[in-house]
Amino acid sequence: MIKVSEVSQQVQPSLTRKLFNLAKQYDNVIDFTLGDPDVQPHQDIKDAGCRAIQQGKTRYSQNAGLLELRQVITQYYKRKEGFEFDPLKEIIVTVGAMEGLYLALLSLLDPEDEVIIPAPYYVNYVQMVKMCHAVPVVVDNPNADALSFNVEDVEKSITPKTRAIIINTPSNPSGKIIPWEKIEQLAQIAKEHDLVVIADEVYKCLIYDQTLFKSIVSIEGMRERTILINSLSKEFCMTGWRIGYVIAPEEVVATMTKLQENVVACAPLPSQYAAIQALSGEENYSRNMVDIFTKRRNVLVEGIQTIPLLKCTPPDATFYLMVDISATGMKSEEFAIELLKSVQVALVPGITYGVSCDNYVRIAFTLDEEKIREGIKRIASFVNQLKK
Ligand code: PMP
């Protein structure tokens, strides 16, 4: 029997996948587990990808990605957020945000280094830090504001080994934007303790009700210590195209590019051409997504709010809704498993995102309105059974 590494044994499959896989054992499941939207990318984007394939643009690109794409990303940031970056030195195109996160961590971390991860957090952060032989330090305080963290707890967890903090705003799973005062305080802490901030902003494209979003990188003194992670997965519903990018100080991008050569060489070339189309600004291809998900969010929130024992408030962003199940007396994993067995609705137990979330379950509203309504009906019948 081949002995696998200790580090790989520390990495466990997530509860998200557990529920997703369990759901496959049932027929006619309403599956709210994965953040993988059912909406199709705009036809122009698909055409650009197909055209690249037909024209034989299917070879390797530069490790950092096509320069044309990096230029388009620069223009996109200038148009949308008013920042300017150097496409030659400060941008790398990656295989989704996930590979961007991984290479960023790999570029920063030595064995035993610590990375602070405030809860609720995206599970892969913890695993990726472990994969770098470093130590994830989860900041998870049940007494923090609901589905948020205390900045004081972040500061208290800093040690001489701390290298970075990962923030995810808007957040998966909470659907909230981290309030600006907290971002300013985190920036202050990062500067005082010479820490890097990895800012995962893949959901800033999906913000409702015209709520404003500002990136931590816009704060004075943060540009030189921020690694911005972004992706086309959510913005243009291109999860399977595996295309993302990272904007960071040039020493980090240079290191990531060197590592990229040894991991995947480059992001898939047809996807890079599709990304050029998506980000080109010819049309606001992502506008439609916000409209679609606003409607779904409203249907879901109104429906869940009519169910006794369940509570929720509308998310500011993302396609996730956290539902407070504390009045059912069940913990999140038990609730999720019983719900699946009893009415074939799959969702993710809140414990996946930190112990402070064990009174919640996460619904990804990446299904159409009809399925969402059916899901609500089934959840209501399950909860009404519990009440009896
Ligand atoms: N960050 C967060 C917070 C996410 O929720 C996801 C996807 N679920 C990712 C990163 C990864 O996105 P990608 O498909 O671009 O790798």
Side-chain angles (χ1 to χ4, degrees):
M1 180 121 143
I2 293 175
K3 181 183 171 300
V4 297
S5 69
E6 306 234 328
V7 123
S8 63
Q9 290 181 65
Q10 284 177 28
V11 175
Q12 296 300 329
S14 70
L15 269 180
T16 317
R17 282 281 164 183
K18 178 174 168 185
L19 264 295
F20 175 76
N21 293 338
L22 216 54
K24 296 279 169 249
Q25 297 174 9
Y26 296 86
D27 290 331
N28 190 21
V29 173
I30 303 284
D31 188 349
F32 289 128
T33 54
L34 297 192
D36 190 2
D38 61 343
V39 181
Q40 286 290 303
H42 192 283
Q43 190 60 39
D44 293 354
I45 301 174
K46 293 201 265 189
D47 286 346
C50 290
R51 225 172 16 250
I53 293 171
Q54 296 295 356
Q55 291 172 351
K57 293 175 173 168
T58 47
R59 302 172 70 190
Y60 298 128
S61 72
Q62 299 92 310
N63 298 131
L66 289 169
L67 181 57
E68 189 186 348
L69 174 54
R70 285 178 281 151
Q71 283 163 337
V72 166
I73 294 169
T74 314
Q75 289 149 12
Y76 174 80
Y77 263 79
K78 193 165 169 202
R79 226 174 34 246
K80 288 237 166 177
E81 313 213 6
F83 306 134
E84 289 205 52
F85 294 98
D86 181 346
L88 278 175
K89 295 189 179 142
E90 294 178 297
I91 300 177
I92 173 171
V93 178
T94 54
V95 181
M98 296 193 69
E99 199 229 354
L101 277 160
Y102 180 54
L103 291 187
L105 290 165
L106 209 52
S107 303
L108 292 180
L109 299 175
D110 283 316
E112 314 294 317
D113 279 349
E114 295 175 4
V115 177
I116 295 177
I117 304 174
Y121 54 84
Y122 175 55
V123 259
N124 303 67
Y125 300 151
V126 171
Q127 317 268 34
M128 284 191 202
V129 171
K130 288 185 193 163
M131 284 159 66
C132 295
H133 298 261
V135 183
V137 177
V138 168
V139 170
D140 192 6
N141 183 346
N143 299 322
D145 301 342
L147 303 178
S148 188
F149 56 88
N150 292 329
V151 176
E152 307 78 65
D153 295 331
V154 170
E155 191 159 26
K156 270 192 246 149
S157 60
I158 295 172
T159 74
K161 289 192 180 288
T162 310
R163 286 283 286 130
I165 307 175
I166 306 183
I167 59 170
N168 174 215
T169 178
S171 150
N172 169 13
S174 78
K176 293 185 178 192
I177 297 172
I178 301 176
W180 187 244
E181 316 81 76
K182 277 196 183 175
I183 294 287
E184 284 183 319
Q185 289 164 353
L186 287 175
Q188 194 52 37
I189 290 172
K191 285 188 264 184
E192 272 168 31
H193 297 269
D194 192 21
L195 305 179
V196 174
V197 171
I198 300 178
D200 179 346
E201 299 185 345
V202 301
Y203 292 103
K204 72 168 180 223
C205 53
L206 204 57
I207 294 180
Y208 304 116
D209 313 321
Q210 260 113 42
T211 308
L212 287 182
F213 175 82
K214 215 158 55 156
S215 172
I216 193 164
V217 79
S218 65
I219 296 175
E220 166 108 40
M222 286 309 290
R223 175 113 182 222
E224 48 273 49
R225 59 177 67 256
T226 302
I227 301 180
L228 285 181
I229 308 286
N230 215 328
S231 163
L232 281 84
S233 287
K234 318 290 166 169
E235 183 160 9
F236 304 100
C237 292
M238 292 172 72
T239 46
W241 293 73
R242 307 311 300 129
I243 187 99
Y245 54 93
V246 175
I247 300 177
E250 69 175 274
E251 59 282 12
V252 174
V253 167
T255 307
M256 288 178 66
T257 306
K258 191 175 64 178
L259 298 176
Q260 170 117 300
E261 178 186 352
N262 299 283
V263 182
V264 291
C266 62
L269 196 59
S271 301
Q272 294 195 48
Y273 280 101
I276 291 174
Q277 181 68 40
L279 297 168
S280 66
E282 257 178 49
E283 214 183 291
N284 188 348
Y285 295 119
S286 61
R287 176 68 246 162
N288 187 27
M289 306 297 176
V290 178
D291 295 341
I292 292 172
F293 287 106
T294 303
K295 281 211 209 116
R296 292 180 179 188
R297 176 197 68 160
N298 295 345
V299 168
L300 181 63
V301 170
E302 279 163 28
I304 296 291
Q305 285 176 340
T306 62
I307 302 177
L309 306 185
L310 301 188
K311 279 193 285 191
C312 69
T313 52
D316 308 323
T318 75
F319 33 57
Y320 304 110
L321 175 71
M322 288 294 260
V323 179
D324 182 341
I325 56 163
S326 43
T328 66
M330 291 169 106
K331 289 295 175 196
S332 62
E333 189 171 356
E334 183 192 3
F335 183 95
I337 290 175
E338 290 305 317
L339 180 76
L340 177 60
K341 279 196 207 153
S342 149
V343 293
Q344 288 77 56
V345 172
L347 38 67
V348 183
I351 187 89
T352 314
Y353 311 105
V355 284
S356 59
C357 300
D358 205 12
N359 286 332
Y360 290 85
V361 287
R362 190 196 75 171
I363 295 179
F365 44 99
T366 43
L367 305 177
D368 64 35
E369 278 176 46
E370 202 183 306
K371 294 205 184 84
I372 291 174
R373 286 184 207 282
E374 174 62 22
I376 296 167
K377 233 196 279 168
R378 293 189 196 184
I379 296 171
S381 81
F382 171 74
V383 174
N384 283 325
Q385 272 307 107
L386 291 179
K387 267 184 72 191
K388 281 180 196 158

